[in-house]
Amino acid sequence: MQRIERHYELSTVPSAGIEQLHAALAAFWPEAAVATEAQIRFSTALAEVVANILQHAVRVNDAPIQLRLRCTPYRIEARLVDRGRAWHLPATTFSLPADDEESGRGLAIASTILDTLQYRRFRDLNCWRLVLALKPN
Amino acid sequence: MTEEFIRGALMEITVSPAGERAAVVQLRGRLDLLVAAEVKQRLAQAVSEGFRLLVVDMGEVSFVDSSGLGALIGGLKAARLAGGDLRLANLGTQAQAILELTTLNRVLRPYPNVAEALRAE
């Protein structure tokens, strides 16, 4: 498998942004040709980060979220850039809430799945980097 | 495009009685943040209509996110408050994975099919 890189824009309107994310993944995975389990895990993590951005960072009139998906023989990587409000995230790992809580699991799920979940504020941009290492064949 | 159309395109919810106090809740589509509130409300409504055992048929759910899990937890709490239970059946690979990742399979017990979920003690 060669290196594959694709760029997508996701609307900051949640219904449209989520739809575009799933359409982007549906287009990307056949090209990337990674194992189904890795596709499922990475899609699950990415959807959680995008959902958090849509729910808590951007407003519907903001510029679209920029998504870059990249796949190499060694890793799947996503970079997300948005112009929403800055995040104040816990410095330590994200932990799952109690079983009866109905929210608060999104970033814990993403960080459990991923090898790297990184957030940086650069000027007025939120920059997320998600990496899932692929097992060698 | 109206909100109703968007939701309708993403998730269909069908509640069918399955015995005196049990109902099968069939979900079709993605169980995510866009439909979580509606799903939670429909599960609570089924409990308020007198159903004590809700079996959620996940066979046609293509994707579940943490908000979708939250809706199922909300339905489970409503059912248990009324002395009942909520069980999941026919989970796909992604739904099974997110349930295990969050260890919520301890409380939202998955069953291989609807019949076994209805029969279980």
Side-chain angles (χ1 to χ4, degrees), chain B residues 28-97:
Chain B
R28 289 190 186 89
R30 283 197 307 267
L31 177 52
D32 62 14
L33 76 160
L34 301 178
V35 299
E38 184 185 358
V39 170
K40 180 185 169 183
Q41 189 270 329
R42 290 292 297 274
L43 293 171
Q45 185 185 327
V47 172
S48 70
E49 287 167 359
F51 298 113
R52 292 294 170 263
L53 173 59
L54 301 181
V55 173
V56 181
D57 186 346
M58 303 279 287
E60 294 188 47
V61 173
S62 56
F63 193 86
V64 181
D65 75 1
S66 59
S67 299
L69 288 177
L72 297 174
I73 292 288
L76 174 68
K77 289 197 291 192
R80 287 196 175 163
L81 269 174
D85 198 10
L86 180 146
R87 297 168 186 165
L88 305 180
N90 287 330
L91 266 75
T93 312
Q94 191 271 339
Q96 185 87 40

Short mmCIF file of all heavy atoms in Angstrom, two decimals, chain B residues 28-97:
data_model
loop_
_atom_site.label_atom_id
_atom_site.label_comp_id
_atom_site.label_asym_id
_atom_site.label_seq_id
_atom_site.Cartn_x
_atom_site.Cartn_y
_atom_site.Cartn_z
N ARG B 28 -32.93 1.90 12.88
CA ARG B 28 -32.31 1.77 11.55
C ARG B 28 -31.56 3.06 11.24
O ARG B 28 -32.16 4.14 11.23
CB ARG B 28 -33.37 1.56 10.47
CG ARG B 28 -34.04 0.22 10.50
CD ARG B 28 -34.89 0.02 9.26
NE ARG B 28 -35.66 -1.22 9.35
CZ ARG B 28 -36.86 -1.30 9.90
NH1 ARG B 28 -37.44 -0.23 10.39
NH2 ARG B 28 -37.48 -2.46 9.96
N GLY B 29 -30.26 2.94 11.01
CA GLY B 29 -29.47 4.12 10.66
C GLY B 29 -28.29 4.29 11.61
O GLY B 29 -27.82 3.31 12.21
N ARG B 30 -27.80 5.51 11.74
CA ARG B 30 -26.69 5.79 12.65
C ARG B 30 -27.25 6.27 13.99
O ARG B 30 -28.07 7.18 14.03
CB ARG B 30 -25.79 6.89 12.07
CG ARG B 30 -24.86 6.44 10.98
CD ARG B 30 -23.73 7.46 10.77
NE ARG B 30 -24.21 8.79 10.56
CZ ARG B 30 -24.45 9.34 9.36
NH1 ARG B 30 -24.20 8.64 8.28
NH2 ARG B 30 -24.88 10.56 9.26
N LEU B 31 -26.77 5.67 15.06
CA LEU B 31 -27.19 6.08 16.40
C LEU B 31 -26.11 7.03 16.92
O LEU B 31 -25.12 6.60 17.51
CB LEU B 31 -27.35 4.83 17.29
CG LEU B 31 -27.71 5.04 18.76
CD1 LEU B 31 -28.93 5.93 18.91
CD2 LEU B 31 -27.94 3.70 19.43
N ASP B 32 -26.31 8.32 16.65
CA ASP B 32 -25.25 9.28 17.00
C ASP B 32 -25.84 10.55 17.60
O ASP B 32 -27.02 10.59 17.94
CB ASP B 32 -24.37 9.58 15.77
CG ASP B 32 -25.15 10.22 14.63
OD1 ASP B 32 -26.28 10.69 14.86
OD2 ASP B 32 -24.62 10.25 13.51
N LEU B 33 -25.03 11.57 17.71
CA LEU B 33 -25.46 12.79 18.41
C LEU B 33 -26.67 13.45 17.75
O LEU B 33 -27.41 14.16 18.42
CB LEU B 33 -24.30 13.79 18.50
CG LEU B 33 -23.91 14.58 17.25
CD1 LEU B 33 -23.13 15.82 17.64
CD2 LEU B 33 -23.11 13.74 16.31
N LEU B 34 -26.88 13.19 16.46
CA LEU B 34 -28.00 13.85 15.77
C LEU B 34 -29.34 13.26 16.17
O LEU B 34 -30.36 13.93 16.05
CB LEU B 34 -27.81 13.72 14.24
CG LEU B 34 -26.53 14.33 13.68
CD1 LEU B 34 -26.46 14.08 12.18
CD2 LEU B 34 -26.46 15.83 13.97
N VAL B 35 -29.36 12.02 16.63
CA VAL B 35 -30.64 11.36 16.93
C VAL B 35 -30.73 10.89 18.38
O VAL B 35 -31.76 10.34 18.79
CB VAL B 35 -30.87 10.14 15.98
CG1 VAL B 35 -30.92 10.60 14.53
CG2 VAL B 35 -29.81 9.09 16.16
N ALA B 36 -29.67 11.09 19.16
CA ALA B 36 -29.61 10.53 20.52
C ALA B 36 -30.79 10.99 21.37
O ALA B 36 -31.43 10.19 22.07
CB ALA B 36 -28.29 10.89 21.18
N ALA B 37 -31.11 12.30 21.32
CA ALA B 37 -32.18 12.83 22.17
C ALA B 37 -33.52 12.20 21.79
O ALA B 37 -34.33 11.84 22.67
CB ALA B 37 -32.25 14.35 22.05
N GLU B 38 -33.74 12.03 20.49
CA GLU B 38 -35.00 11.45 20.02
C GLU B 38 -35.11 9.98 20.45
O GLU B 38 -36.17 9.52 20.88
CB GLU B 38 -35.06 11.57 18.49
CG GLU B 38 -36.36 11.10 17.90
CD GLU B 38 -36.36 11.11 16.38
OE1 GLU B 38 -35.34 11.53 15.79
OE2 GLU B 38 -37.35 10.70 15.79
N VAL B 39 -34.01 9.24 20.32
CA VAL B 39 -34.02 7.82 20.70
C VAL B 39 -34.27 7.68 22.20
O VAL B 39 -35.10 6.86 22.63
CB VAL B 39 -32.69 7.14 20.29
CG1 VAL B 39 -32.59 5.74 20.88
CG2 VAL B 39 -32.57 7.08 18.77
N LYS B 40 -33.59 8.50 22.99
CA LYS B 40 -33.79 8.44 24.45
C LYS B 40 -35.25 8.72 24.80
O LYS B 40 -35.85 8.03 25.63
CB LYS B 40 -32.87 9.46 25.13
CG LYS B 40 -33.00 9.47 26.64
CD LYS B 40 -32.19 10.57 27.28
CE LYS B 40 -32.57 10.72 28.74
NZ LYS B 40 -31.86 11.81 29.40
N GLN B 41 -35.83 9.71 24.13
CA GLN B 41 -37.22 10.08 24.40
C GLN B 41 -38.17 8.95 24.02
O GLN B 41 -39.11 8.64 24.76
CB GLN B 41 -37.53 11.37 23.63
CG GLN B 41 -38.86 12.02 23.97
CD GLN B 41 -40.00 11.51 23.09
OE1 GLN B 41 -39.76 11.16 21.94
NE2 GLN B 41 -41.19 11.44 23.64
N ARG B 42 -37.91 8.28 22.89
CA ARG B 42 -38.79 7.18 22.46
C ARG B 42 -38.68 5.97 23.40
O ARG B 42 -39.67 5.28 23.64
CB ARG B 42 -38.44 6.76 21.03
CG ARG B 42 -38.82 7.77 19.98
CD ARG B 42 -40.33 7.93 19.84
NE ARG B 42 -40.97 6.70 19.39
CZ ARG B 42 -41.10 6.35 18.12
NH1 ARG B 42 -40.66 7.14 17.18
NH2 ARG B 42 -41.70 5.21 17.82
N LEU B 43 -37.47 5.73 23.92
CA LEU B 43 -37.30 4.62 24.88
C LEU B 43 -38.06 4.94 26.17
O LEU B 43 -38.76 4.08 26.72
CB LEU B 43 -35.81 4.39 25.16
CG LEU B 43 -34.98 3.87 23.97
CD1 LEU B 43 -33.49 3.89 24.31
CD2 LEU B 43 -35.40 2.46 23.57
N ALA B 44 -37.93 6.18 26.65
CA ALA B 44 -38.63 6.58 27.88
C ALA B 44 -40.14 6.51 27.66
O ALA B 44 -40.90 6.11 28.56
CB ALA B 44 -38.20 7.99 28.28
N GLN B 45 -40.59 6.89 26.47
CA GLN B 45 -42.02 6.85 26.14
C GLN B 45 -42.54 5.40 26.18
O GLN B 45 -43.62 5.14 26.70
CB GLN B 45 -42.24 7.45 24.75
CG GLN B 45 -43.70 7.58 24.35
CD GLN B 45 -43.83 8.07 22.92
OE1 GLN B 45 -43.01 8.84 22.43
NE2 GLN B 45 -44.86 7.61 22.24
N ALA B 46 -41.74 4.49 25.65
CA ALA B 46 -42.15 3.07 25.66
C ALA B 46 -42.30 2.58 27.09
O ALA B 46 -43.25 1.84 27.41
CB ALA B 46 -41.12 2.23 24.90
N VAL B 47 -41.39 3.01 27.98
CA VAL B 47 -41.49 2.61 29.39
C VAL B 47 -42.76 3.22 30.00
O VAL B 47 -43.51 2.55 30.72
CB VAL B 47 -40.23 3.05 30.17
CG1 VAL B 47 -40.42 2.83 31.67
CG2 VAL B 47 -39.01 2.29 29.67
N SER B 48 -43.02 4.48 29.68
CA SER B 48 -44.21 5.14 30.25
C SER B 48 -45.50 4.54 29.71
O SER B 48 -46.55 4.65 30.32
CB SER B 48 -44.16 6.65 30.02
OG SER B 48 -44.35 6.92 28.65
N GLU B 49 -45.44 3.88 28.56
CA GLU B 49 -46.62 3.20 28.00
C GLU B 49 -46.86 1.84 28.65
O GLU B 49 -47.85 1.17 28.34
CB GLU B 49 -46.46 3.03 26.49
CG GLU B 49 -46.63 4.35 25.72
CD GLU B 49 -46.18 4.25 24.27
OE1 GLU B 49 -45.71 3.17 23.86
OE2 GLU B 49 -46.27 5.27 23.57
N GLY B 50 -45.93 1.44 29.54
CA GLY B 50 -46.15 0.20 30.29
C GLY B 50 -45.20 -0.94 29.94
O GLY B 50 -45.24 -1.98 30.58
N PHE B 51 -44.36 -0.76 28.93
CA PHE B 51 -43.40 -1.81 28.60
C PHE B 51 -42.27 -1.81 29.63
O PHE B 51 -41.70 -0.76 29.92
CB PHE B 51 -42.85 -1.63 27.19
CG PHE B 51 -43.89 -1.72 26.12
CD1 PHE B 51 -44.24 -0.61 25.36
CD2 PHE B 51 -44.55 -2.92 25.89
CE1 PHE B 51 -45.22 -0.69 24.39
CE2 PHE B 51 -45.53 -3.02 24.90
CZ PHE B 51 -45.88 -1.90 24.16
N ARG B 52 -41.97 -2.96 30.16
CA ARG B 52 -40.94 -3.05 31.20
C ARG B 52 -39.64 -3.62 30.64
O ARG B 52 -38.57 -3.31 31.13
CB ARG B 52 -41.43 -3.92 32.37
CG ARG B 52 -42.56 -3.28 33.15
CD ARG B 52 -42.05 -2.01 33.87
NE ARG B 52 -43.14 -1.24 34.44
CZ ARG B 52 -43.70 -0.17 33.85
NH1 ARG B 52 -43.27 0.22 32.67
NH2 ARG B 52 -44.67 0.50 34.43
N LEU B 53 -39.74 -4.50 29.66
CA LEU B 53 -38.54 -5.04 29.02
C LEU B 53 -38.44 -4.47 27.60
O LEU B 53 -39.32 -4.70 26.78
CB LEU B 53 -38.58 -6.57 28.97
CG LEU B 53 -37.45 -7.25 28.18
CD1 LEU B 53 -36.08 -6.88 28.75
CD2 LEU B 53 -37.63 -8.75 28.14
N LEU B 54 -37.39 -3.71 27.36
CA LEU B 54 -37.16 -3.18 26.02
C LEU B 54 -35.97 -3.92 25.41
O LEU B 54 -34.88 -3.95 26.00
CB LEU B 54 -36.83 -1.68 26.07
CG LEU B 54 -37.88 -0.76 26.69
CD1 LEU B 54 -37.40 0.69 26.63
CD2 LEU B 54 -39.22 -0.89 25.98
N VAL B 55 -36.18 -4.53 24.27
CA VAL B 55 -35.09 -5.16 23.53
C VAL B 55 -34.81 -4.28 22.31
O VAL B 55 -35.67 -4.11 21.45
CB VAL B 55 -35.44 -6.59 23.10
CG1 VAL B 55 -34.36 -7.15 22.19
CG2 VAL B 55 -35.61 -7.48 24.33
N VAL B 56 -33.63 -3.70 22.29
CA VAL B 56 -33.27 -2.81 21.18
C VAL B 56 -32.57 -3.65 20.12
O VAL B 56 -31.49 -4.20 20.35
CB VAL B 56 -32.36 -1.66 21.65
CG1 VAL B 56 -32.02 -0.74 20.48
CG2 VAL B 56 -33.04 -0.87 22.77
N ASP B 57 -33.23 -3.77 18.97
CA ASP B 57 -32.66 -4.52 17.85
C ASP B 57 -31.71 -3.60 17.08
O ASP B 57 -32.13 -2.66 16.43
CB ASP B 57 -33.79 -5.02 16.95
CG ASP B 57 -33.29 -5.95 15.85
OD1 ASP B 57 -32.06 -5.99 15.62
OD2 ASP B 57 -34.13 -6.60 15.20
N MET B 58 -30.41 -3.91 17.20
CA MET B 58 -29.37 -3.05 16.62
C MET B 58 -28.91 -3.56 15.25
O MET B 58 -27.93 -3.06 14.70
CB MET B 58 -28.16 -3.02 17.56
CG MET B 58 -28.46 -2.55 18.97
SD MET B 58 -28.56 -0.75 19.09
CE MET B 58 -26.82 -0.32 18.95
N GLY B 59 -29.62 -4.55 14.71
CA GLY B 59 -29.18 -5.21 13.49
C GLY B 59 -29.00 -4.28 12.29
O GLY B 59 -28.22 -4.57 11.39
N GLU B 60 -29.76 -3.18 12.28
CA GLU B 60 -29.63 -2.26 11.15
C GLU B 60 -29.08 -0.90 11.57
O GLU B 60 -29.34 0.12 10.93
CB GLU B 60 -30.99 -2.13 10.45
CG GLU B 60 -31.39 -3.43 9.80
CD GLU B 60 -32.63 -3.31 8.94
OE1 GLU B 60 -32.69 -2.37 8.13
OE2 GLU B 60 -33.52 -4.16 9.09
N VAL B 61 -28.32 -0.93 12.65
CA VAL B 61 -27.62 0.29 13.10
C VAL B 61 -26.20 0.22 12.54
O VAL B 61 -25.45 -0.69 12.86
CB VAL B 61 -27.60 0.41 14.63
CG1 VAL B 61 -26.73 1.57 15.08
CG2 VAL B 61 -29.03 0.59 15.15
N SER B 62 -25.85 1.19 11.71
CA SER B 62 -24.57 1.11 11.01
C SER B 62 -23.42 1.70 11.82
O SER B 62 -22.25 1.37 11.58
CB SER B 62 -24.66 1.86 9.67
OG SER B 62 -25.09 3.20 9.89
N PHE B 63 -23.73 2.56 12.79
CA PHE B 63 -22.66 3.24 13.53
C PHE B 63 -23.23 3.76 14.85
O PHE B 63 -24.35 4.25 14.88
CB PHE B 63 -22.15 4.42 12.70
CG PHE B 63 -20.85 5.02 13.19
CD1 PHE B 63 -19.64 4.49 12.79
CD2 PHE B 63 -20.85 6.10 14.04
CE1 PHE B 63 -18.44 5.03 13.26
CE2 PHE B 63 -19.67 6.65 14.50
CZ PHE B 63 -18.45 6.11 14.09
N VAL B 64 -22.43 3.64 15.91
CA VAL B 64 -22.85 4.15 17.22
C VAL B 64 -21.75 5.06 17.75
O VAL B 64 -20.57 4.70 17.68
CB VAL B 64 -23.07 3.00 18.23
CG1 VAL B 64 -23.53 3.55 19.58
CG2 VAL B 64 -24.08 1.99 17.70
N ASP B 65 -22.13 6.25 18.25
CA ASP B 65 -21.12 7.09 18.92
C ASP B 65 -21.46 7.22 20.39
O ASP B 65 -22.43 6.62 20.89
CB ASP B 65 -20.96 8.44 18.20
CG ASP B 65 -22.11 9.40 18.46
OD1 ASP B 65 -23.05 9.06 19.21
OD2 ASP B 65 -22.06 10.52 17.90
N SER B 66 -20.67 8.03 21.11
CA SER B 66 -20.87 8.11 22.56
C SER B 66 -22.21 8.73 22.93
O SER B 66 -22.79 8.39 23.96
CB SER B 66 -19.73 8.90 23.21
OG SER B 66 -19.66 10.21 22.67
N SER B 67 -22.73 9.62 22.08
CA SER B 67 -24.06 10.18 22.35
C SER B 67 -25.14 9.10 22.19
O SER B 67 -26.10 9.07 22.95
CB SER B 67 -24.36 11.33 21.39
OG SER B 67 -23.43 12.37 21.55
N GLY B 68 -24.94 8.23 21.21
CA GLY B 68 -25.87 7.11 21.02
C GLY B 68 -25.84 6.17 22.22
O GLY B 68 -26.88 5.71 22.69
N LEU B 69 -24.63 5.91 22.74
CA LEU B 69 -24.52 5.10 23.95
C LEU B 69 -25.26 5.77 25.10
O LEU B 69 -25.94 5.12 25.90
CB LEU B 69 -23.05 4.91 24.34
CG LEU B 69 -22.20 3.99 23.47
CD1 LEU B 69 -20.76 3.98 23.96
CD2 LEU B 69 -22.76 2.56 23.46
N GLY B 70 -25.14 7.10 25.18
CA GLY B 70 -25.82 7.86 26.23
C GLY B 70 -27.33 7.69 26.16
O GLY B 70 -28.00 7.56 27.19
N ALA B 71 -27.86 7.66 24.94
CA ALA B 71 -29.31 7.46 24.76
C ALA B 71 -29.73 6.09 25.27
O ALA B 71 -30.78 5.94 25.91
CB ALA B 71 -29.68 7.62 23.29
N LEU B 72 -28.91 5.07 24.99
CA LEU B 72 -29.22 3.71 25.47
C LEU B 72 -29.14 3.64 26.99
O LEU B 72 -29.97 2.99 27.64
CB LEU B 72 -28.28 2.69 24.83
CG LEU B 72 -28.36 2.57 23.29
CD1 LEU B 72 -27.28 1.64 22.77
CD2 LEU B 72 -29.75 2.06 22.88
N ILE B 73 -28.13 4.32 27.56
CA ILE B 73 -28.02 4.37 29.03
C ILE B 73 -29.26 5.05 29.62
O ILE B 73 -29.81 4.61 30.64
CB ILE B 73 -26.74 5.13 29.46
CG1 ILE B 73 -25.49 4.34 29.07
CG2 ILE B 73 -26.74 5.44 30.96
CD1 ILE B 73 -25.24 3.10 29.90
N GLY B 74 -29.71 6.14 28.98
CA GLY B 74 -30.92 6.84 29.43
C GLY B 74 -32.13 5.91 29.40
O GLY B 74 -32.93 5.89 30.34
N GLY B 75 -32.25 5.13 28.33
CA GLY B 75 -33.35 4.17 28.22
C GLY B 75 -33.25 3.07 29.27
O GLY B 75 -34.26 2.67 29.86
N LEU B 76 -32.03 2.61 29.52
CA LEU B 76 -31.82 1.58 30.54
C LEU B 76 -32.24 2.10 31.92
O LEU B 76 -32.91 1.40 32.69
CB LEU B 76 -30.34 1.17 30.56
CG LEU B 76 -29.92 0.21 31.67
CD1 LEU B 76 -30.53 -1.17 31.45
CD2 LEU B 76 -28.39 0.09 31.74
N LYS B 77 -31.86 3.35 32.21
CA LYS B 77 -32.21 3.92 33.52
C LYS B 77 -33.73 4.05 33.66
O LYS B 77 -34.29 3.75 34.71
CB LYS B 77 -31.52 5.29 33.72
CG LYS B 77 -30.02 5.17 33.93
CD LYS B 77 -29.40 6.41 34.51
CE LYS B 77 -29.39 7.56 33.57
NZ LYS B 77 -28.54 8.68 34.03
N ALA B 78 -34.41 4.49 32.60
CA ALA B 78 -35.87 4.62 32.64
C ALA B 78 -36.51 3.25 32.87
O ALA B 78 -37.43 3.12 33.69
CB ALA B 78 -36.37 5.23 31.33
N ALA B 79 -36.01 2.23 32.17
CA ALA B 79 -36.58 0.89 32.31
C ALA B 79 -36.34 0.34 33.72
O ALA B 79 -37.25 -0.23 34.34
CB ALA B 79 -35.96 -0.05 31.27
N ARG B 80 -35.15 0.55 34.24
CA ARG B 80 -34.84 0.02 35.57
C ARG B 80 -35.61 0.74 36.66
O ARG B 80 -36.01 0.13 37.66
CB ARG B 80 -33.33 0.09 35.83
CG ARG B 80 -32.60 -0.96 35.02
CD ARG B 80 -31.20 -1.19 35.52
NE ARG B 80 -30.58 -2.28 34.79
CZ ARG B 80 -29.28 -2.51 34.78
NH1 ARG B 80 -28.47 -1.71 35.45
NH2 ARG B 80 -28.80 -3.53 34.11
N LEU B 81 -35.82 2.04 36.48
CA LEU B 81 -36.62 2.81 37.46
C LEU B 81 -38.03 2.24 37.55
O LEU B 81 -38.68 2.31 38.60
CB LEU B 81 -36.69 4.28 37.06
CG LEU B 81 -35.60 5.20 37.63
CD1 LEU B 81 -35.72 6.59 37.02
CD2 LEU B 81 -35.68 5.26 39.16
N ALA B 82 -38.51 1.69 36.43
CA ALA B 82 -39.85 1.12 36.41
C ALA B 82 -39.83 -0.37 36.75
O ALA B 82 -40.84 -1.06 36.60
CB ALA B 82 -40.47 1.33 35.02
N GLY B 83 -38.67 -0.87 37.19
CA GLY B 83 -38.55 -2.27 37.57
C GLY B 83 -38.27 -3.19 36.40
O GLY B 83 -38.44 -4.42 36.51
N GLY B 84 -37.87 -2.64 35.27
CA GLY B 84 -37.63 -3.46 34.08
C GLY B 84 -36.18 -3.48 33.65
O GLY B 84 -35.27 -3.30 34.47
N ASP B 85 -35.97 -3.69 32.36
CA ASP B 85 -34.60 -3.81 31.84
C ASP B 85 -34.58 -3.39 30.37
O ASP B 85 -35.61 -3.37 29.70
CB ASP B 85 -34.14 -5.27 31.97
CG ASP B 85 -32.62 -5.42 31.88
OD1 ASP B 85 -31.91 -4.38 31.90
OD2 ASP B 85 -32.16 -6.56 31.79
N LEU B 86 -33.39 -3.07 29.90
CA LEU B 86 -33.18 -2.80 28.47
C LEU B 86 -32.03 -3.67 28.01
O LEU B 86 -30.99 -3.71 28.66
CB LEU B 86 -32.87 -1.30 28.25
CG LEU B 86 -32.62 -0.86 26.80
CD1 LEU B 86 -33.13 0.56 26.57
CD2 LEU B 86 -31.13 -0.93 26.44
N ARG B 87 -32.24 -4.37 26.92
CA ARG B 87 -31.21 -5.29 26.40
C ARG B 87 -30.96 -4.99 24.93
O ARG B 87 -31.87 -4.57 24.21
CB ARG B 87 -31.69 -6.74 26.56
CG ARG B 87 -31.88 -7.13 28.02
CD ARG B 87 -32.61 -8.45 28.17
NE ARG B 87 -32.89 -8.71 29.58
CZ ARG B 87 -33.75 -9.61 30.01
NH1 ARG B 87 -34.41 -10.36 29.15
NH2 ARG B 87 -33.95 -9.79 31.31
N LEU B 88 -29.75 -5.27 24.51
CA LEU B 88 -29.38 -5.04 23.12
C LEU B 88 -29.29 -6.37 22.39
O LEU B 88 -28.83 -7.36 22.96
CB LEU B 88 -28.02 -4.32 23.03
CG LEU B 88 -27.88 -3.01 23.80
CD1 LEU B 88 -26.48 -2.44 23.60
CD2 LEU B 88 -28.94 -2.00 23.36
N ALA B 89 -29.71 -6.37 21.14
CA ALA B 89 -29.62 -7.59 20.33
C ALA B 89 -29.07 -7.26 18.95
O ALA B 89 -29.22 -6.13 18.47
CB ALA B 89 -31.00 -8.24 20.19
N ASN B 90 -28.42 -8.26 18.34
CA ASN B 90 -27.94 -8.14 16.94
C ASN B 90 -26.92 -7.03 16.74
O ASN B 90 -26.99 -6.29 15.76
CB ASN B 90 -29.12 -7.84 15.99
CG ASN B 90 -29.99 -9.04 15.76
OD1 ASN B 90 -29.51 -10.16 15.81
ND2 ASN B 90 -31.26 -8.78 15.52
N LEU B 91 -25.98 -6.88 17.64
CA LEU B 91 -25.01 -5.79 17.49
C LEU B 91 -24.07 -6.03 16.31
O LEU B 91 -23.58 -7.15 16.13
CB LEU B 91 -24.17 -5.65 18.76
CG LEU B 91 -24.69 -4.64 19.77
CD1 LEU B 91 -25.89 -5.19 20.49
CD2 LEU B 91 -23.60 -4.26 20.75
N GLY B 92 -23.80 -4.99 15.55
CA GLY B 92 -22.79 -5.05 14.51
C GLY B 92 -21.40 -4.93 15.11
O GLY B 92 -21.25 -4.68 16.32
N THR B 93 -20.39 -5.06 14.26
CA THR B 93 -19.00 -5.06 14.74
C THR B 93 -18.63 -3.74 15.41
O THR B 93 -17.99 -3.73 16.46
CB THR B 93 -18.04 -5.30 13.55
OG1 THR B 93 -18.52 -6.41 12.81
CG2 THR B 93 -16.64 -5.60 14.04
N GLN B 94 -19.02 -2.62 14.81
CA GLN B 94 -18.64 -1.31 15.38
C GLN B 94 -19.35 -1.07 16.71
O GLN B 94 -18.74 -0.58 17.66
CB GLN B 94 -18.94 -0.20 14.37
CG GLN B 94 -18.36 1.17 14.74
CD GLN B 94 -19.29 2.01 15.59
OE1 GLN B 94 -20.50 1.79 15.63
NE2 GLN B 94 -18.72 2.99 16.30
N ALA B 95 -20.63 -1.42 16.77
CA ALA B 95 -21.39 -1.23 18.02
C ALA B 95 -20.79 -2.09 19.13
O ALA B 95 -20.63 -1.64 20.27
CB ALA B 95 -22.86 -1.56 17.80
N GLN B 96 -20.46 -3.32 18.78
CA GLN B 96 -19.83 -4.23 19.76
C GLN B 96 -18.51 -3.64 20.25
O GLN B 96 -18.21 -3.65 21.45
CB GLN B 96 -19.58 -5.58 19.08
CG GLN B 96 -19.06 -6.67 20.00
CD GLN B 96 -20.19 -7.41 20.69
OE1 GLN B 96 -21.22 -7.69 20.09
NE2 GLN B 96 -20.00 -7.71 21.97
N ALA B 97 -17.72 -3.09 19.32
CA ALA B 97 -16.41 -2.55 19.69
C ALA B 97 -16.55 -1.37 20.64
O ALA B 97 -15.83 -1.29 21.65
CB ALA B 97 -15.66 -2.12 18.42
#
